[in-house]
Amino acid sequence: MPTLTPQRLTELKVHANRVREGIIRALLAAGSGHSAGPLDMADVFTVLYEHVLRHKPAEPEWDDRDRLLLSCGHIAPVRYSAMAYGGYFPVEELLTLRKFGTRLQGHPERVRLPAVETTSGPLGEGLAQGTGMALAAKMDGKSWRVYVVTSDAEHQCGLHWEAAMTAAKFKLDNLIAIVDRNFIQIDGSTEDVMPLEPFADKYRAFNWEVFECDGNDIAQVAETIEKAKAVKGKPSVIIAHTVPGKGVSYMEGDYTWHGKPPNKEQADQALRELEAERERILAHG
Amino acid sequence: MASALDGVAAMRLAELKDPANVKQVPTRNGFGEGVVDAGKRNRNVIAICADLSESTRMLGFKEALPDQYIEIGVSEQLLVAMAAGLASAGKIPFIASYAMFNPGRSWEQVRTTMALNETNVKIAGAHAGVSVGPDGATHQAIEDIAIMRCIPHMTVVVPCDSIQTKKATLAVAEMTGPVYLRFGREKTPVVTTEETPFELGKAQIFREGRDVAIVVCGILVYNALIAAQTLAKHGIDCMVINNHTIKPMDEETIVAAAERCGAVVTVEEHQVFGGMGSRVAEILAQRRPAPVEFVGVHDQFGQSGDPAELIEHYGMGAVAIEAAVRRAIARK
Ligand SMILES: Cc1ncc(C[n+]2csc(CCOP(=O)(O)OP(=O)(O)O)c2C)c(N)n1
Ligand SMILES: [Mg+2]
């Protein structure tokens, strides 16, 4: 049974499109920051904030909320944009990204913006913290879950695998990791820089339940998360295959967009493309 | 009494009179040029990078000397420990990442595999200081000098501009032993010239003076020189010392400067706890007590912002240095 009605699916597609728009506008205003990763994870963050998470945007520190951790902090613009469009703060605040005094730091900071749960940016530290949170929930008999969004190149960090081993040891079925498998990192393709394949097998060998899906297909992402939630006795990972720069033609698939923002002209083109896509979604679903 | 400063004239510097015309080049560029030259001079010099080849300026090395270049991905602990292994087998590895991650993340590997092991590994810590700007606190290494200078055998160098960073890179390639070389991201004023001498462990007098000695390292040397120029107009005569080698520090020059001026201001883009200024204070407390004022970050984290804005906000601009000089004089 599909988890989303056709009408809801269309709404979420439009929402993800808006989230991408927010990313482009924030990056343009900031004049620095990362483009490819945030754009490719807009669909996953839309599904998480609008469909999956048990949370209260008006009460971000509600005790029983699900915890969403962004381990690869450099893709913060997608989280900030999804939060803004999800009602956590005004969309216009996105334009303060990376500026002096902002809550929207270049890499997320929990003390300035508690709803981000953890401070991140230095790669490879999210799963370990998520493991700690999931373990605490188990110890206290709590029903909230922990979702950790992590990039593929973070899997070159030893700490990530130390956490993976630990989450399996403690059978943390309240922990779901979602990997942005976009095959890019700063110096090029992940498989050239430091090969990660066979990727799914690594998690299987660490005693995780492994799912794969098209991370730019909202229906698939939603269904896959539902399946992961049903797993008992071990943690789950969802390998979300994404297209870096998704939604902006000249960025798609190009690793050089990892860490730079669009200029005015490029941003205008991106916003025009996103608007055309929005009209297409509204016309055809 | 004979002084270490006797007969020492101030170094010749680039023309600094009109700040708007000073050449601005990132210190990391000097590292990029130096490491390629070092690799050409000695084929045992290798460069290892952890997914940051362009921003650490190792890309030129990769292109010029591909057989001496190793890419390992996002693995800073591996970066150090593997380099120690390569060094044990005769290589001279330069390992580059952001200072926050190397030596930030890799500290215990640095201590054990590099220093305790006495291996000939050179760490290049890029993007140090709050001047990395909009990336924010997570990427602003302002504790790295402290955590490196407390390790036995470690040499710690913080050059003041791109030209000096190139000279320092070549100098550390020539010496044997573990080294931490620190540099920044932003374009910063080039104060030295190709002709300005550079010697590891030898502090440089960039301006002579008798009232206060400003002891400074890294990109803030320029701000210190500007502060000294302004203060001179108000009759305050500052000595400016470019204290590029934090470890081993040039004690004689520091002591002689305190002797001559009777008060010291230290300036660094770093926490004031444990950094270059702390070392100056340790030396003076033992050998020539004098009032010391510390310019740097005072027990805070950085944050996102424009680099220049952050330098001002955290009290490391020329005006803040002037104020520190006046405080030091008042304590004489
Ligand atoms: C520990 C650590 N080392 C290095 C960096 C610098 N850095 C930022 S993102 C990145 C890798 C980018 O690849 P990936 O994580 O897959 O993100 P994507 O480009 O796909 O968005 C690196 C090396 C960092 N943030 N943390
Ligand atoms: Mg990636």
Short mmCIF file of all heavy atoms in Angstrom, two decimals, chain A residues 143-183:
data_model
loop_
_atom_site.label_atom_id
_atom_site.label_comp_id
_atom_site.label_asym_id
_atom_site.label_seq_id
_atom_site.Cartn_x
_atom_site.Cartn_y
_atom_site.Cartn_z
N SER A 143 9.61 6.23 23.15
CA SER A 143 9.23 5.73 21.83
C SER A 143 9.75 6.61 20.70
O SER A 143 9.55 6.30 19.53
CB SER A 143 7.70 5.63 21.74
OG SER A 143 7.15 6.92 21.91
N TRP A 144 10.39 7.72 21.01
CA TRP A 144 10.88 8.56 19.91
C TRP A 144 12.04 7.89 19.18
O TRP A 144 12.74 7.05 19.73
CB TRP A 144 11.24 9.98 20.35
CG TRP A 144 12.08 10.15 21.58
CD1 TRP A 144 11.62 10.38 22.85
CD2 TRP A 144 13.51 10.14 21.69
NE1 TRP A 144 12.67 10.52 23.73
CE2 TRP A 144 13.84 10.38 23.05
CE3 TRP A 144 14.55 9.96 20.79
CZ2 TRP A 144 15.16 10.43 23.52
CZ3 TRP A 144 15.87 10.02 21.25
CH2 TRP A 144 16.15 10.26 22.60
N ARG A 145 12.17 8.28 17.92
CA ARG A 145 13.21 7.68 17.07
C ARG A 145 14.31 8.69 16.77
O ARG A 145 14.12 9.89 16.92
CB ARG A 145 12.60 7.24 15.74
CG ARG A 145 11.65 6.10 15.86
CD ARG A 145 10.95 5.85 14.52
NE ARG A 145 9.98 4.80 14.68
CZ ARG A 145 10.29 3.50 14.63
NH1 ARG A 145 11.52 3.13 14.39
NH2 ARG A 145 9.35 2.59 14.81
N VAL A 146 15.41 8.15 16.29
CA VAL A 146 16.54 8.99 15.88
C VAL A 146 16.81 8.76 14.40
O VAL A 146 16.97 7.62 13.95
CB VAL A 146 17.80 8.66 16.69
CG1 VAL A 146 18.95 9.57 16.27
CG2 VAL A 146 17.53 8.78 18.19
N TYR A 147 16.81 9.84 13.64
CA TYR A 147 17.18 9.80 12.22
C TYR A 147 18.49 10.55 12.05
O TYR A 147 18.63 11.68 12.54
CB TYR A 147 16.10 10.47 11.36
CG TYR A 147 14.77 9.76 11.44
CD1 TYR A 147 13.83 10.09 12.43
CD2 TYR A 147 14.45 8.74 10.55
CE1 TYR A 147 12.61 9.44 12.52
CE2 TYR A 147 13.24 8.07 10.63
CZ TYR A 147 12.33 8.43 11.62
OH TYR A 147 11.13 7.77 11.71
N VAL A 148 19.44 9.93 11.39
CA VAL A 148 20.72 10.59 11.14
C VAL A 148 20.94 10.69 9.64
O VAL A 148 21.01 9.67 8.95
CB VAL A 148 21.90 9.82 11.77
CG1 VAL A 148 23.23 10.52 11.46
CG2 VAL A 148 21.72 9.68 13.28
N VAL A 149 21.01 11.92 9.14
CA VAL A 149 21.33 12.12 7.73
C VAL A 149 22.85 12.26 7.60
O VAL A 149 23.47 13.05 8.32
CB VAL A 149 20.62 13.36 7.16
CG1 VAL A 149 21.14 13.68 5.76
CG2 VAL A 149 19.11 13.14 7.15
N THR A 150 23.41 11.48 6.72
CA THR A 150 24.87 11.44 6.59
C THR A 150 25.26 11.40 5.12
O THR A 150 24.53 10.89 4.29
CB THR A 150 25.43 10.23 7.39
OG1 THR A 150 26.76 9.96 6.96
CG2 THR A 150 24.61 8.98 7.19
N SER A 151 26.40 11.99 4.80
CA SER A 151 26.85 12.02 3.40
C SER A 151 27.65 10.76 3.10
O SER A 151 28.06 10.04 4.01
CB SER A 151 27.72 13.24 3.17
OG SER A 151 28.95 13.10 3.84
N ASP A 152 27.89 10.52 1.82
CA ASP A 152 28.65 9.31 1.50
C ASP A 152 30.12 9.43 1.88
O ASP A 152 30.71 8.52 2.46
CB ASP A 152 28.46 8.86 0.04
CG ASP A 152 28.61 9.95 -0.99
OD1 ASP A 152 28.95 11.10 -0.63
OD2 ASP A 152 28.36 9.65 -2.19
N ALA A 153 30.74 10.59 1.61
CA ALA A 153 32.17 10.72 1.92
C ALA A 153 32.45 10.65 3.41
O ALA A 153 33.58 10.35 3.82
CB ALA A 153 32.73 12.02 1.33
N GLU A 154 31.44 10.90 4.22
CA GLU A 154 31.63 10.75 5.67
C GLU A 154 31.97 9.32 6.04
O GLU A 154 32.50 9.07 7.13
CB GLU A 154 30.32 11.08 6.41
CG GLU A 154 30.13 12.52 6.70
CD GLU A 154 28.99 12.71 7.68
OE1 GLU A 154 27.83 12.49 7.29
OE2 GLU A 154 29.26 13.07 8.82
N HIS A 155 31.64 8.41 5.16
CA HIS A 155 31.93 7.00 5.45
C HIS A 155 33.41 6.68 5.32
O HIS A 155 33.82 5.53 5.48
CB HIS A 155 31.05 6.10 4.57
CG HIS A 155 29.60 6.17 4.96
ND1 HIS A 155 28.81 7.27 4.66
CD2 HIS A 155 28.83 5.32 5.67
CE1 HIS A 155 27.60 7.06 5.16
NE2 HIS A 155 27.59 5.90 5.78
N GLN A 156 34.21 7.70 5.02
CA GLN A 156 35.66 7.53 5.05
C GLN A 156 36.22 7.83 6.44
O GLN A 156 37.40 7.64 6.70
CB GLN A 156 36.31 8.45 4.00
CG GLN A 156 35.91 8.03 2.58
CD GLN A 156 36.06 9.13 1.54
OE1 GLN A 156 36.37 10.28 1.85
NE2 GLN A 156 35.81 8.76 0.30
N CYS A 157 35.36 8.29 7.33
CA CYS A 157 35.78 8.61 8.70
C CYS A 157 35.64 7.36 9.58
O CYS A 157 34.57 6.74 9.63
CB CYS A 157 34.90 9.70 9.32
SG CYS A 157 34.92 11.27 8.43
N GLY A 158 36.68 7.04 10.33
CA GLY A 158 36.64 5.86 11.18
C GLY A 158 35.54 5.90 12.23
O GLY A 158 34.87 4.91 12.49
N LEU A 159 35.33 7.07 12.83
CA LEU A 159 34.35 7.20 13.90
C LEU A 159 32.95 6.75 13.46
O LEU A 159 32.21 6.15 14.25
CB LEU A 159 34.31 8.67 14.38
CG LEU A 159 33.27 9.05 15.41
CD1 LEU A 159 33.37 8.21 16.67
CD2 LEU A 159 33.39 10.53 15.77
N HIS A 160 32.61 7.02 12.21
CA HIS A 160 31.29 6.63 11.72
C HIS A 160 31.10 5.11 11.87
O HIS A 160 30.04 4.65 12.30
CB HIS A 160 31.14 7.06 10.26
CG HIS A 160 29.77 6.80 9.72
ND1 HIS A 160 28.75 7.72 9.83
CD2 HIS A 160 29.25 5.71 9.10
CE1 HIS A 160 27.66 7.20 9.28
NE2 HIS A 160 27.94 5.99 8.84
N TRP A 161 32.14 4.37 11.56
CA TRP A 161 32.03 2.90 11.62
C TRP A 161 32.12 2.38 13.04
O TRP A 161 31.57 1.33 13.37
CB TRP A 161 33.07 2.26 10.70
CG TRP A 161 32.79 2.60 9.26
CD1 TRP A 161 33.47 3.48 8.48
CD2 TRP A 161 31.71 2.10 8.45
NE1 TRP A 161 32.90 3.56 7.24
CE2 TRP A 161 31.82 2.72 7.18
CE3 TRP A 161 30.67 1.20 8.67
CZ2 TRP A 161 30.92 2.47 6.15
CZ3 TRP A 161 29.78 0.94 7.63
CH2 TRP A 161 29.91 1.57 6.39
N GLU A 162 32.79 3.10 13.90
CA GLU A 162 32.79 2.74 15.32
C GLU A 162 31.36 2.83 15.84
O GLU A 162 30.88 1.97 16.58
CB GLU A 162 33.72 3.68 16.11
CG GLU A 162 35.20 3.55 15.71
CD GLU A 162 36.09 4.63 16.33
OE1 GLU A 162 35.80 5.11 17.44
OE2 GLU A 162 37.10 5.00 15.70
N ALA A 163 30.67 3.87 15.41
CA ALA A 163 29.27 4.04 15.83
C ALA A 163 28.39 2.96 15.20
O ALA A 163 27.50 2.42 15.86
CB ALA A 163 28.78 5.43 15.42
N ALA A 164 28.66 2.64 13.94
CA ALA A 164 27.83 1.64 13.26
C ALA A 164 27.92 0.30 14.00
O ALA A 164 26.92 -0.40 14.20
CB ALA A 164 28.29 1.49 11.81
N MET A 165 29.14 -0.04 14.41
CA MET A 165 29.34 -1.30 15.13
C MET A 165 28.57 -1.28 16.45
O MET A 165 27.94 -2.25 16.85
CB MET A 165 30.84 -1.43 15.41
CG MET A 165 31.37 -2.84 15.41
SD MET A 165 33.14 -2.91 15.77
CE MET A 165 33.88 -1.87 14.57
N THR A 166 28.60 -0.13 17.10
CA THR A 166 27.98 0.01 18.41
C THR A 166 26.44 -0.02 18.32
O THR A 166 25.78 -0.68 19.12
CB THR A 166 28.43 1.34 19.05
OG1 THR A 166 29.86 1.36 19.04
CG2 THR A 166 27.91 1.48 20.46
N ALA A 167 25.90 0.65 17.32
CA ALA A 167 24.44 0.66 17.16
C ALA A 167 23.92 -0.76 16.93
O ALA A 167 22.84 -1.13 17.41
CB ALA A 167 24.05 1.57 16.00
N ALA A 168 24.70 -1.56 16.22
CA ALA A 168 24.29 -2.95 15.99
C ALA A 168 24.40 -3.75 17.28
O ALA A 168 23.51 -4.53 17.63
CB ALA A 168 25.14 -3.58 14.88
N LYS A 169 25.47 -3.54 18.01
CA LYS A 169 25.65 -4.27 19.28
C LYS A 169 24.44 -4.06 20.19
O LYS A 169 23.94 -4.99 20.80
CB LYS A 169 26.91 -3.80 20.00
CG LYS A 169 26.99 -4.32 21.43
CD LYS A 169 28.21 -3.91 22.21
CE LYS A 169 28.03 -4.38 23.66
NZ LYS A 169 29.20 -4.15 24.50
N PHE A 170 23.96 -2.81 20.26
CA PHE A 170 22.85 -2.50 21.16
C PHE A 170 21.48 -2.62 20.48
O PHE A 170 20.48 -2.15 21.01
CB PHE A 170 23.06 -1.13 21.80
CG PHE A 170 24.23 -1.11 22.76
CD1 PHE A 170 25.42 -0.51 22.40
CD2 PHE A 170 24.14 -1.78 23.98
CE1 PHE A 170 26.52 -0.52 23.27
CE2 PHE A 170 25.24 -1.80 24.85
CZ PHE A 170 26.43 -1.18 24.49
N LYS A 171 21.47 -3.23 19.28
CA LYS A 171 20.20 -3.52 18.58
C LYS A 171 19.29 -2.30 18.51
O LYS A 171 18.10 -2.35 18.87
CB LYS A 171 19.47 -4.68 19.29
CG LYS A 171 20.32 -5.95 19.41
CD LYS A 171 19.49 -7.08 20.00
CE LYS A 171 20.13 -8.45 19.99
NZ LYS A 171 21.58 -8.55 20.05
N LEU A 172 19.86 -1.19 18.08
CA LEU A 172 19.11 0.08 18.11
C LEU A 172 18.16 0.19 16.91
O LEU A 172 18.44 0.88 15.93
CB LEU A 172 20.09 1.26 18.16
CG LEU A 172 20.99 1.28 19.41
CD1 LEU A 172 21.93 2.48 19.38
CD2 LEU A 172 20.15 1.30 20.69
N ASP A 173 17.01 -0.47 17.04
CA ASP A 173 16.03 -0.41 15.95
C ASP A 173 15.25 0.90 15.97
O ASP A 173 14.37 1.12 15.14
CB ASP A 173 15.10 -1.64 15.98
CG ASP A 173 14.49 -1.87 17.34
OD1 ASP A 173 14.48 -0.94 18.18
OD2 ASP A 173 14.02 -3.01 17.59
N ASN A 174 15.58 1.75 16.92
CA ASN A 174 15.00 3.11 16.93
C ASN A 174 15.92 4.12 16.23
O ASN A 174 15.72 5.32 16.32
CB ASN A 174 14.72 3.57 18.37
CG ASN A 174 15.95 3.48 19.27
OD1 ASN A 174 16.96 2.88 18.90
ND2 ASN A 174 15.85 4.05 20.46
N LEU A 175 16.93 3.60 15.55
CA LEU A 175 17.90 4.45 14.86
C LEU A 175 17.87 4.15 13.36
O LEU A 175 18.01 2.99 12.95
CB LEU A 175 19.31 4.16 15.41
CG LEU A 175 20.49 4.84 14.72
CD1 LEU A 175 20.46 6.35 14.94
CD2 LEU A 175 21.81 4.27 15.27
N ILE A 176 17.66 5.19 12.56
CA ILE A 176 17.67 5.04 11.11
C ILE A 176 18.66 6.03 10.52
O ILE A 176 18.56 7.24 10.77
CB ILE A 176 16.26 5.29 10.51
CG1 ILE A 176 15.27 4.24 11.04
CG2 ILE A 176 16.30 5.27 8.97
CD1 ILE A 176 13.84 4.44 10.58
N ALA A 177 19.62 5.51 9.78
CA ALA A 177 20.57 6.40 9.10
C ALA A 177 20.12 6.55 7.64
O ALA A 177 19.67 5.58 7.03
CB ALA A 177 21.98 5.82 9.15
N ILE A 178 20.23 7.75 7.12
CA ILE A 178 19.90 7.99 5.71
C ILE A 178 21.14 8.57 5.04
O ILE A 178 21.64 9.62 5.46
CB ILE A 178 18.71 8.95 5.56
CG1 ILE A 178 17.50 8.40 6.34
CG2 ILE A 178 18.37 9.16 4.09
CD1 ILE A 178 16.29 9.32 6.32
N VAL A 179 21.64 7.86 4.04
CA VAL A 179 22.89 8.28 3.39
C VAL A 179 22.59 9.01 2.09
O VAL A 179 21.85 8.50 1.24
CB VAL A 179 23.78 7.06 3.07
CG1 VAL A 179 25.11 7.53 2.46
CG2 VAL A 179 24.03 6.22 4.30
N ASP A 180 23.19 10.18 1.95
CA ASP A 180 23.11 10.90 0.68
C ASP A 180 24.16 10.30 -0.26
O ASP A 180 25.30 10.73 -0.30
CB ASP A 180 23.41 12.39 0.93
CG ASP A 180 23.41 13.17 -0.38
OD1 ASP A 180 22.99 12.62 -1.41
OD2 ASP A 180 23.85 14.35 -0.35
N ARG A 181 23.74 9.28 -1.00
CA ARG A 181 24.70 8.58 -1.88
C ARG A 181 24.72 9.30 -3.22
O ARG A 181 24.07 8.89 -4.20
CB ARG A 181 24.29 7.12 -2.04
CG ARG A 181 25.31 6.28 -2.83
CD ARG A 181 26.63 6.16 -2.09
NE ARG A 181 27.57 5.24 -2.72
CZ ARG A 181 28.81 5.61 -3.10
NH1 ARG A 181 29.22 6.86 -2.93
NH2 ARG A 181 29.63 4.71 -3.61
N ASN A 182 25.46 10.39 -3.28
CA ASN A 182 25.52 11.18 -4.51
C ASN A 182 26.83 10.98 -5.27
O ASN A 182 27.06 11.58 -6.32
CB ASN A 182 25.29 12.68 -4.22
CG ASN A 182 26.35 13.26 -3.29
OD1 ASN A 182 27.35 12.63 -3.00
ND2 ASN A 182 26.12 14.48 -2.84
N PHE A 183 27.69 10.14 -4.71
CA PHE A 183 28.96 9.77 -5.37
C PHE A 183 29.93 10.94 -5.54
O PHE A 183 30.90 10.81 -6.28
CB PHE A 183 28.71 9.10 -6.74
CG PHE A 183 28.34 7.64 -6.62
CD1 PHE A 183 27.03 7.26 -6.35
CD2 PHE A 183 29.31 6.64 -6.74
CE1 PHE A 183 26.68 5.91 -6.22
CE2 PHE A 183 28.96 5.30 -6.63
CZ PHE A 183 27.66 4.93 -6.36
#
